[in-house]
Amino acid sequence: MTHHRIALIPGDGIGRDVTAAAWLVLEKAAAIGKFTLEGTEFPWSCAFYMQTGAMMPSDGIQILRGFDAILLGAVGWPAEVPDSVSLHGLLLPIRKAFVQYANIRPHRLLPGVQGPLKAEAFDIVCIRENTEGEYSGAGGRVHQGTADEVAVETSIFTRTGVERVLRFGFEQARLRRGKLASVTKSNAQKYSMVFWDEITRELAAQYPDVEVTMYHIDAMAARMVMAPESLDVVVASNLFGDILTDLGAAIQGGLGFAASANINPDRGGPSMFEPVHGSAPDIAHLGIANPIAAIWSGAMMLEHLSETDASRRIMEALERTTASGIGTVPGKDRTETITAAVLAALD
């Protein structure tokens, strides 16, 4: 019997509720699929930071290295800890330490979910570069608190980083409908984004079976609203991918449906799976958080762990749940109600 060790980091706010819900679904899918999941929970969060002065212990990365995957809920409590501290203290170190360079976010409407667009038949996978670019953390501030204060934030793009995420995108396009959209702003950013465009063209020659289109970020934002059904695989830098995937979440019905995977395709370390709706402090502990994004992220985790049948079974259960009208409207159904419906649909 296959055994998988999973690190659970529920985090803050509704992260705890949706992680618990997702874990119930994952455990049932594992029982049906005749494999085992061993979950070890870690309290790393903003609350942990307020107690210890760190988002995770100094040996946190080494601890996580022994797991097959990481399931994360949500991190952030800006009223208590600045987002710049929580992000750079937990999520970014994990992504970089384990070279989780491909952030994958699927955008499609589940049955019964009403999106804000007239278009409904879209199925987009956004792949965001996840370890460098605009979020490299290179820069600093001088003359702080004076009229001469200067802040510098330097984007870093390496050939290794750009090429590997684009190549991953080409490979994903081959598995889907054979279309790849590469997103830059090379008319304005004449070094980093021209560099990205050049590498896109180099790789396109190696994938003649993939239809490649190059867009500027503003044009892509418009296309995701006006013609989302024309898109298949979208690849973008860290910042541009971050923005586009929130737009993707909006057109698929809201952040409650926004799943994600932070993948190390080379499997040199654990990959991390998380909903991207944030900790939502305003509704924390009300019991109305939608666990669908967390459950969907869990299904992506099982697929990455080669438990493809169980992953498919969870997605089919989610679709049956939303098709019945449960979990389709934010705040309408309680977390436990949605979870129970997905569990029942697994049978």
Coordinates of all heavy atoms in Angstrom, one line a residue, residues 227-291:
A227 N -12.4 37.4 -24.1 CA -12.4 36.1 -24.9 C -11.7 35.0 -24.1 O -10.7 34.5 -24.6 CB -11.8 36.4 -26.2
P228 N -12.1 34.7 -22.9 CA -11.3 33.7 -22.1 C -11.3 32.3 -22.8 O -10.4 31.6 -22.6 CB -12.0 33.7 -20.8 CG -13.4 34.2 -21.1 CD -13.3 35.2 -22.2
E229 N -12.3 32.0 -23.6 CA -12.4 30.7 -24.2 C -11.3 30.5 -25.2 O -11.0 29.4 -25.7 CB -13.8 30.5 -24.8 CG -14.1 31.4 -26.0 CD -14.5 32.8 -25.7 OE1 -14.6 33.1 -24.5 OE2 -14.6 33.6 -26.6
S230 N -10.6 31.6 -25.6 CA -9.6 31.5 -26.6 C -8.2 31.1 -26.0 O -7.3 30.9 -26.7 CB -9.4 32.9 -27.4 OG -8.9 33.8 -26.5
L231 N -8.2 31.0 -24.7 CA -6.9 30.8 -24.0 C -6.8 29.3 -23.5 O -7.8 28.7 -23.1 CB -6.7 31.7 -22.8 CG -6.7 33.2 -23.2 CD1 -6.8 34.1 -22.0 CD2 -5.4 33.5 -24.0
D232 N -5.6 28.8 -23.5 CA -5.4 27.5 -23.0 C -4.3 27.5 -21.8 O -4.7 27.6 -20.7 CB -4.9 26.6 -24.1 CG -4.6 25.1 -23.8 OD1 -5.1 24.7 -22.7 OD2 -4.0 24.4 -24.5
V233 N -3.1 27.5 -22.2 CA -2.0 27.7 -21.2 C -1.4 29.1 -21.2 O -1.0 29.5 -22.3 CB -0.9 26.6 -21.4 CG1 0.3 26.8 -20.4 CG2 -1.5 25.2 -21.2
V234 N -1.4 29.7 -20.1 CA -0.8 31.1 -20.0 C 0.4 31.1 -19.1 O 0.3 30.6 -18.0 CB -1.9 32.1 -19.5 CG1 -1.3 33.5 -19.3 CG2 -3.1 32.1 -20.4
V235 N 1.5 31.6 -19.6 CA 2.7 31.6 -18.8 C 3.2 33.1 -18.6 O 3.2 33.8 -19.6 CB 3.9 30.8 -19.5 CG1 5.1 30.7 -18.5 CG2 3.4 29.4 -19.8
A236 N 3.5 33.4 -17.4 CA 3.9 34.8 -17.0 C 4.9 34.9 -15.9 O 5.1 33.9 -15.2 CB 2.6 35.6 -16.7
S237 N 5.5 36.0 -15.7 CA 6.4 36.2 -14.7 C 5.7 36.2 -13.3 O 4.5 36.2 -13.2 CB 7.2 37.6 -14.9 OG 6.3 38.6 -14.7
N238 N 6.5 36.3 -12.3 CA 6.0 36.3 -10.9 C 4.9 37.3 -10.6 O 3.8 37.0 -10.2 CB 7.1 36.4 -9.9 CG 7.0 35.6 -8.7 OD1 5.9 35.3 -8.2 ND2 8.1 35.2 -8.1
L239 N 5.2 38.6 -10.9 CA 4.2 39.6 -10.7 C 3.1 39.6 -11.7 O 1.9 39.6 -11.2 CB 4.9 41.0 -10.8 CG 4.0 42.2 -10.8 CD1 3.3 42.4 -9.4 CD2 4.9 43.5 -11.1
F240 N 3.3 39.4 -12.9 CA 2.2 39.4 -13.9 C 1.4 38.2 -13.7 O 0.1 38.2 -13.8 CB 2.8 39.4 -15.3 CG 3.4 40.7 -15.7 CD1 4.2 40.8 -16.9 CD2 3.3 41.9 -15.0 CE1 4.8 42.0 -17.3 CE2 3.9 43.1 -15.3 CZ 4.7 43.1 -16.5
G241 N 2.0 37.1 -13.4 CA 1.2 35.9 -13.1 C 0.3 36.0 -11.9 O -0.8 35.5 -11.8
D242 N 0.9 36.7 -10.8 CA 0.1 36.9 -9.6 C -1.2 37.7 -9.9 O -2.3 37.4 -9.5 CB 1.0 37.7 -8.6 CG 0.4 37.8 -7.2 OD1 -0.6 37.2 -7.0 OD2 1.1 38.4 -6.4
I243 N -1.0 38.7 -10.7 CA -2.2 39.6 -11.1 C -3.2 38.8 -11.9 O -4.4 38.9 -11.7 CB -1.7 40.9 -11.7 CG1 -0.9 41.7 -10.8 CG2 -2.9 41.7 -12.3 CD1 -0.1 42.9 -11.4
L244 N -2.7 38.2 -13.0 CA -3.6 37.5 -13.9 C -4.3 36.4 -13.2 O -5.5 36.1 -13.6 CB -2.8 36.9 -15.1 CG -2.2 37.9 -16.1 CD1 -1.4 37.2 -17.1 CD2 -3.4 38.7 -16.8
T245 N -3.7 35.7 -12.3 CA -4.4 34.6 -11.6 C -5.5 35.0 -10.7 O -6.5 34.3 -10.5 CB -3.4 33.7 -10.9 OG1 -2.6 34.4 -10.0 CG2 -2.6 32.9 -11.9
D246 N -5.4 36.2 -10.1 CA -6.5 36.8 -9.3 C -7.7 37.2 -10.3 O -8.8 37.0 -9.9 CB -6.1 37.9 -8.5 CG -5.6 37.5 -7.1 OD1 -5.5 36.3 -6.9 OD2 -5.4 38.4 -6.2
L247 N -7.3 37.7 -11.5 CA -8.3 37.9 -12.5 C -9.0 36.6 -12.9 O -10.2 36.5 -13.0 CB -7.7 38.6 -13.7 CG -8.6 38.9 -14.9 CD1 -9.9 39.8 -14.4 CD2 -7.9 39.7 -16.0
G248 N -8.2 35.6 -13.1 CA -8.7 34.3 -13.4 C -9.7 33.8 -12.3 O -10.7 33.2 -12.6
A249 N -9.3 34.0 -11.0 CA -10.2 33.6 -10.0 C -11.5 34.3 -10.0 O -12.6 33.7 -9.8 CB -9.5 33.8 -8.6
A250 N -11.5 35.6 -10.4 CA -12.7 36.4 -10.5 C -13.6 35.9 -11.5 O -14.8 35.7 -11.3 CB -12.3 37.9 -10.7
I251 N -13.1 35.5 -12.7 CA -14.0 35.1 -13.8 C -14.5 33.6 -13.6 O -15.4 33.2 -14.2 CB -13.3 35.2 -15.2 CG1 -12.1 34.2 -15.3 CG2 -12.9 36.6 -15.4 CD1 -11.5 34.2 -16.7
Q252 N -13.8 32.9 -12.6 CA -14.3 31.5 -12.4 C -15.3 31.5 -11.2 O -15.6 30.4 -10.7 CB -13.2 30.6 -12.2 CG -12.4 30.7 -10.9 CD -11.3 29.7 -10.7 OE1 -10.1 30.1 -10.7 NE2 -11.6 28.4 -10.6
G253 N -15.7 32.7 -10.7 CA -16.7 32.7 -9.7 C -16.2 33.3 -8.4 O -17.0 33.5 -7.4
G254 N -14.9 33.5 -8.2 CA -14.4 34.1 -7.0 C -13.3 33.3 -6.4 O -13.0 32.2 -6.8
L255 N -12.7 33.9 -5.4 CA -11.5 33.3 -4.8 C -11.8 32.0 -4.0 O -10.9 31.2 -3.7 CB -10.8 34.3 -3.8 CG -10.1 35.4 -4.5 CD1 -9.7 36.5 -3.5 CD2 -8.8 34.9 -5.2
G256 N -13.0 31.8 -3.7 CA -13.4 30.5 -3.0 C -13.2 29.3 -3.9 O -13.3 28.1 -3.5
F257 N -13.0 29.5 -5.2 CA -12.8 28.4 -6.2 C -11.3 28.4 -6.7 O -11.0 27.6 -7.6 CB -13.7 28.5 -7.4 CG -15.2 28.6 -6.9 CD1 -15.9 29.8 -6.9 CD2 -15.9 27.5 -6.6 CE1 -17.2 29.9 -6.5 CE2 -17.2 27.6 -6.1 CZ -17.9 28.8 -6.1
A258 N -10.5 29.2 -6.1 CA -9.1 29.4 -6.7 C -8.1 28.5 -6.0 O -7.6 28.7 -4.9 CB -8.7 30.9 -6.6
A259 N -7.8 27.4 -6.7 CA -6.8 26.4 -6.2 C -5.5 26.7 -6.8 O -5.4 27.4 -7.9 CB -7.3 25.0 -6.6
S260 N -4.4 26.2 -6.2 CA -3.1 26.4 -6.7 C -2.1 25.3 -6.3 O -2.3 24.6 -5.3 CB -2.5 27.7 -6.3 OG -2.0 27.7 -5.0
A261 N -1.1 25.1 -7.1 CA 0.0 24.2 -6.8 C 1.3 24.9 -7.0 O 1.5 25.6 -8.1 CB -0.1 23.0 -7.7
N262 N 2.2 24.8 -6.1 CA 3.6 25.3 -6.2 C 4.4 24.1 -6.4 O 4.7 23.3 -5.5 CB 4.0 26.0 -4.9 CG 3.1 27.2 -4.6 OD1 3.2 28.3 -5.1 ND2 2.1 26.9 -3.7
I263 N 4.8 23.9 -7.7 CA 5.4 22.6 -8.1 C 6.9 22.7 -8.3 O 7.5 23.6 -8.9 CB 4.8 22.1 -9.4 CG1 3.3 21.9 -9.2 CG2 5.5 20.9 -10.0 CD1 3.0 20.7 -8.4
N264 N 7.6 21.7 -7.8 CA 9.0 21.4 -8.1 C 8.9 20.3 -9.2 O 8.8 19.1 -8.8 CB 9.8 21.0 -6.9 CG 11.2 20.6 -7.3 OD1 11.5 20.1 -8.3 ND2 12.2 20.9 -6.3
P265 N 8.9 20.6 -10.5 CA 8.8 19.5 -11.5 C 9.9 18.5 -11.4 O 9.7 17.3 -11.9 CB 8.8 20.3 -12.8 CG 8.3 21.7 -12.4 CD 8.9 21.9 -11.1
D266 N 11.0 18.9 -11.0 CA 12.2 17.9 -10.9 C 12.1 17.0 -9.7 O 12.9 16.1 -9.5 CB 13.5 18.7 -10.9 CG 13.6 19.6 -12.1 OD1 13.2 19.2 -13.2 OD2 14.2 20.7 -12.0
R267 N 11.1 17.3 -8.8 CA 10.9 16.5 -7.6 C 12.1 16.4 -6.7 O 12.4 15.4 -6.0 CB 10.4 15.1 -7.9 CG 9.0 15.2 -8.7 CD 8.5 13.9 -9.1 NE 7.3 14.0 -9.9 CZ 6.0 14.0 -9.4 NH1 5.8 13.9 -8.1 NH2 5.0 14.2 -10.2
G268 N 12.9 17.5 -6.6 CA 14.0 17.6 -5.7 C 13.7 18.0 -4.3 O 14.5 18.0 -3.4
G269 N 12.4 18.2 -4.1 CA 11.9 18.6 -2.8 C 10.4 18.5 -2.8 O 9.8 18.3 -3.9
P270 N 9.7 18.7 -1.7 CA 8.3 18.6 -1.7 C 7.6 19.8 -2.4 O 8.2 20.9 -2.4 CB 7.9 18.6 -0.2 CG 9.1 19.3 0.5 CD 10.3 18.9 -0.3
S271 N 6.5 19.6 -3.1 CA 5.7 20.7 -3.7 C 4.7 21.1 -2.7 O 4.3 20.3 -1.7 CB 5.1 20.2 -5.0 OG 6.1 20.0 -5.9
M272 N 4.1 22.3 -2.8 CA 3.2 22.8 -1.9 C 1.9 23.2 -2.6 O 1.9 23.8 -3.7 CB 3.7 24.1 -1.2 CG 2.8 24.7 -0.2 SD 3.7 26.0 0.8 CE 4.3 27.1 -0.4
F273 N 0.7 22.9 -1.9 CA -0.6 23.1 -2.5 C -1.4 23.9 -1.6 O -1.5 23.7 -0.4 CB -1.2 21.7 -2.8 CG -0.3 20.8 -3.7 CD1 0.7 20.1 -3.1 CD2 -0.6 20.8 -5.0 CE1 1.6 19.4 -3.9 CE2 0.3 20.1 -5.8 CZ 1.3 19.3 -5.3
E274 N -2.1 24.9 -2.2 CA -2.8 25.9 -1.3 C -3.9 26.6 -2.1 O -3.8 26.9 -3.2 CB -1.9 26.9 -0.8 CG -1.1 27.7 -1.9 CD -0.3 28.9 -1.4 OE1 -0.8 29.6 -0.6 OE2 0.8 29.1 -2.0
P275 N -5.1 26.9 -1.4 CA -6.0 27.8 -1.9 C -5.4 29.2 -1.9 O -4.6 29.5 -1.0 CB -7.2 27.7 -1.0 CG -6.6 27.3 0.3 CD -5.4 26.4 0.0
V276 N -5.9 30.1 -2.7 CA -5.3 31.4 -2.8 C -6.2 32.5 -2.3 O -5.9 33.7 -2.6 CB -4.7 31.7 -4.2 CG1 -3.6 30.7 -4.6 CG2 -5.8 31.7 -5.2
H277 N -7.2 32.1 -1.5 CA -8.2 33.2 -1.1 C -7.7 34.0 0.1 O -8.3 34.9 0.5 CB -9.5 32.5 -0.8 CG -9.4 31.3 0.1 ND1 -8.7 31.2 1.3 CD2 -9.9 30.0 -0.1 CE1 -8.8 30.0 1.8 NE2 -9.5 29.3 1.0
G278 N -6.6 33.6 0.7 CA -6.1 34.3 1.9 C -6.8 33.9 3.1 O -7.7 33.0 3.2
S279 N -6.4 34.6 4.2 CA -6.9 34.2 5.6 C -8.3 34.8 5.9 O -8.9 34.3 6.9 CB -5.9 34.5 6.6 OG -5.7 35.9 6.6
A280 N -8.7 35.8 5.2 CA -10.1 36.4 5.4 C -10.4 36.6 6.8 O -11.4 36.0 7.3 CB -11.1 35.5 4.7
P281 N -9.7 37.5 7.5 CA -9.9 37.7 9.0 C -11.3 38.1 9.3 O -11.8 37.8 10.4 CB -8.9 38.8 9.3 CG -7.8 38.7 8.3 CD -8.5 38.3 7.1
D282 N -12.0 38.7 8.3 CA -13.4 39.3 8.6 C -14.4 38.1 8.8 O -15.4 38.3 9.4 CB -13.8 40.2 7.5 CG -13.8 39.6 6.1 OD1 -12.9 38.8 5.8 OD2 -14.6 40.0 5.3
I283 N -14.1 37.0 8.2 CA -15.1 35.9 8.3 C -14.5 34.7 9.1 O -15.1 33.6 9.1 CB -15.7 35.4 7.0 CG1 -14.5 34.8 6.1 CG2 -16.4 36.6 6.3 CD1 -15.1 34.1 4.8
A284 N -13.3 34.8 9.6 CA -12.7 33.7 10.3 C -13.6 33.3 11.5 O -14.1 34.1 12.2 CB -11.3 34.1 10.8
H285 N -13.7 32.0 11.7 CA -14.4 31.4 12.8 C -15.9 31.6 12.7 O -16.7 31.3 13.7 CB -14.0 32.0 14.2 CG -12.5 32.0 14.3 ND1 -11.7 30.8 14.2 CD2 -11.6 33.0 14.5 CE1 -10.4 31.1 14.4 NE2 -10.3 32.4 14.6
L286 N -16.4 32.1 11.6 CA -17.9 32.2 11.4 C -18.4 30.9 10.8 O -19.6 30.7 10.7 CB -18.3 33.3 10.4 CG -18.0 34.7 11.0 CD1 -18.4 35.8 10.0 CD2 -18.7 35.0 12.3
G287 N -17.5 30.0 10.3 CA -18.0 28.7 9.7 C -18.6 28.8 8.3 O -19.3 27.9 7.9
I288 N -18.3 29.9 7.6 CA -18.9 30.1 6.3 C -17.9 30.1 5.2 O -18.2 30.4 4.0 CB -19.8 31.4 6.2 CG1 -18.9 32.6 6.5 CG2 -20.9 31.3 7.2 CD1 -19.6 33.9 6.3
A289 N -16.6 29.8 5.5 CA -15.6 29.8 4.4 C -15.8 28.6 3.5 O -16.2 27.5 3.8 CB -14.2 29.6 5.1
N290 N -15.7 28.9 2.2 CA -15.9 27.9 1.1 C -14.6 27.0 1.1 O -13.5 27.5 0.7 CB -16.1 28.6 -0.2 CG -16.6 27.6 -1.3 OD1 -16.3 26.4 -1.2 ND2 -17.3 28.1 -2.3
P291 N -14.7 25.8 1.3 CA -13.5 24.9 1.3 C -13.2 24.3 -0.1 O -12.3 23.5 -0.2 CB -13.9 23.8 2.2 CG -15.4 23.6 2.0 CD -15.9 25.0 1.8

